[in-house]
Amino acid sequence: MNLRRHFIVYLSIVHVLMGVVAGFLLQQDRLWLIVVEIVFAASLAAGIAFVTRTSGALSAVRQSAQLLDDGELTTRFTEVGHPDIDVLVRTYNRMADSLRDERVRLREQQYFLGTLLEVSPAGVVILDHDGVIASVNDAAERLLPHDADPVGKTPAGLASPLGEAMGATPAGGARIVPLQGGRRVRCQCASFVERGHPRRFYLIEELTEELRLTEKAAYEKLIRLMSHEVNNSVGVTRSLLQSSLVYGTNLPEAYRQAFESAVDIATGRLERLNAFMRGFAEVVRTPPPRLAPVDVDRLLQGCVTLLASQTEGGAVDWRWDRQATVGAISLDAAQMEQVLLNILKNAAEAAGPGGRVTVRTGVAGASPFIEVEDSGPGVSGEVRSHLFTPFFTTKQNGQGIGLTLVQEILRRHGFDFDLDAPEGGPTRFRVVFGPVLRQPGTV
């Protein structure tokens, strides 16, 4: 029973009692009847007025509560001239205006943030309270696997290095993740609070081009400085050694042979040092590709034949998987031969004695590709994050420039590439070419 009905029941009981008293007084004295009737009428009028005013205030309260419950904040109440009710009206109007302004501000802010996330070059992945991906922007979708919708999955459940990295990155942490084609991204995890509960999100920034240009400028400067100093020293030292051989003829026979042998060893070391520096200089001095139609299948066959002849005796089992021919591609034959020899040599070394290297050709979509797969043990996660980093190598006598040179040549040609080397193997290096030329070419 609401307050208005309580008042009505109360007035009804009071006036029924007054009616009973009036009937009793009517039997005693008619004058008292008139007095009671006057009091009765005044009380009834006062009660009706009180109930009306009270119900008006309560009605305003009920309507305002209903409007708030419906989320309707544009309706305003008009003051009725009653002080108590007008206070409620003014309070409600101010509250509704404040809530409406706050709602508009939040909607504008939400729209701005949504638009900012969509146009942002950085990828953003937002998780819900259960650690499941709730939303991703366009930049993140381009970096995540395209074969499945990431929404509704956990980051670790995505079949990609980036998904694994997100799942292993704690809030406040960051790591560099290598992706297809020698690309690298920086994955940073942060958190925010929503309704009193923390939620995580990931900011993914692609560092490939910026980092590559910075690294390239740094190692080019370093290599030029090293080459200049080493070449000057080698030239002068070689000249001095050759002069020393002339003076060595004056030595006694017992000392001359040892002296000439020492000079030969020093000269050989200088030649190896010079060759060592030439390997670094090739990365810096790689000229722009001279494009011409090249039969890639013949070029690849020649490279495999050359390396297979160096691994005779069954050291490496070379196999072919020709799903489709690559055909003629516009490229620099000499530079592409360097690329293929480097990839094939790495595969043979990874496979090891008794291992297997599979050379695969085919077409993915409209683009032909070459893929070299070895049966080696793959690459650990720590090493995988440093692939394509200049001067990084796991070989005992390696220089760490092979993949850097491969990356530089393929990028200059505009060819896409991918090195997939999961721990445990197999390792696959794929080079994806552009469309096949209409006219066949020759190497």
Side-chain angles (χ1 to χ4, degrees), residues 329-340:
I329 303 292
S330 179
L331 49 81
D332 187 311
Q335 292 186 8
M336 189 55 58
E337 187 178 45
Q338 278 186 293
V339 169
L340 295 176

Side-chain angles (χ1 to χ4, degrees), residues 15 26 30 39 62 66 86-87 103 113 171 180 205 214 229 287-288 298 305 313 324 330 349 351 358 386-387 442:
H15 288 85
L26 178 62
R30 292 183 178 273
V39 173
R62 283 196 302 270
Q66 184 63 41
D86 289 347
V87 168
R103 174 189 287 179
L113 291 176
Q180 177 180 354
E205 300 174 276
T214 302
E229 294 297 328
R298 286 183 56 195
T305 301
S330 179
E349 292 175 350
T358 303
H386 294 288
L387 294 175
T442 56

Side-chain angles (χ1 to χ4, degrees), residues 223 226 275-284 391 399 401:
I223 290 174
M226 291 170 58
F276 181 80
M277 286 308 306
R278 282 200 302 270
F280 285 109
E282 285 182 358
V283 180
V284 178
F391 311 131
Q399 295 174 263
I401 60 174

Side-chain angles (χ1 to χ4, degrees), residues 187-262:
C187 177
Q188 182 175 0
C189 181
S191 63
F192 63 98
V193 177
E194 182 186 55
R195 299 177 184 176
H197 298 281
R199 290 180 61 180
R200 287 188 298 166
F201 70 95
Y202 298 91
L203 183 64
I204 307 169
E205 300 174 276
E206 186 160 7
L207 307 176
T208 305
E209 191 61 22
E210 179 183 352
L211 191 59
R212 187 183 71 85
L213 293 177
T214 302
E215 288 178 345
K216 184 179 179 182
Y219 69 67
E220 282 184 351
K221 182 178 180 180
L222 175 62
I223 290 174
R224 287 193 178 97
L225 178 62
M226 291 170 58
S227 297
H228 177 74
E229 294 297 328
V230 170
N231 289 336
N232 287 343
S233 300
V234 167
V236 173
T237 306
R238 184 190 293 116
S239 178
L240 291 174
L241 289 174
Q242 289 174 349
S243 299
S244 298
L245 285 175
V246 176
Y247 298 123
T249 57
N250 299 324
L251 294 173
E253 185 66 28
Y255 298 104
R256 186 187 308 162
Q257 185 176 1
F259 174 77
E260 291 177 351
S261 176

Side-chain angles (χ1 to χ4, degrees), residues 94-129:
R94 284 197 304 270
M95 182 176 62
D97 291 341
S98 177
L99 291 175
R100 184 176 63 252
D101 294 342
E102 183 68 14
R103 174 189 287 179
V104 172
R105 187 185 69 81
L106 290 176
R107 286 181 176 176
E108 291 175 347
Q109 186 179 57
Q110 185 177 12
Y111 176 78
F112 169 73
L113 291 176
T115 304
L116 184 64
L117 289 179
E118 289 304 317
V119 302
S120 172
V124 179
V125 178
I126 303 176
L127 308 185
D128 61 14
H129 297 292

Side-chain angles (χ1 to χ4, degrees), residues 131-187:
V132 175
I133 296 176
S135 64
V136 296
N137 67 346
D138 292 341
E141 284 186 350
R142 290 192 293 269
L143 297 172
L144 294 171
H146 300 288
D147 55 350
D149 185 5
V151 176
K153 298 181 179 179
T154 61
L158 300 176
S160 73
L162 181 54
E164 295 175 5
M166 286 193 296
T169 303
R175 62 179 60 196
I176 305 298
V177 186
L179 299 181
Q180 177 180 354
R183 300 157 65 197
R184 281 178 282 179
V185 297
R186 182 175 185 269
C187 177

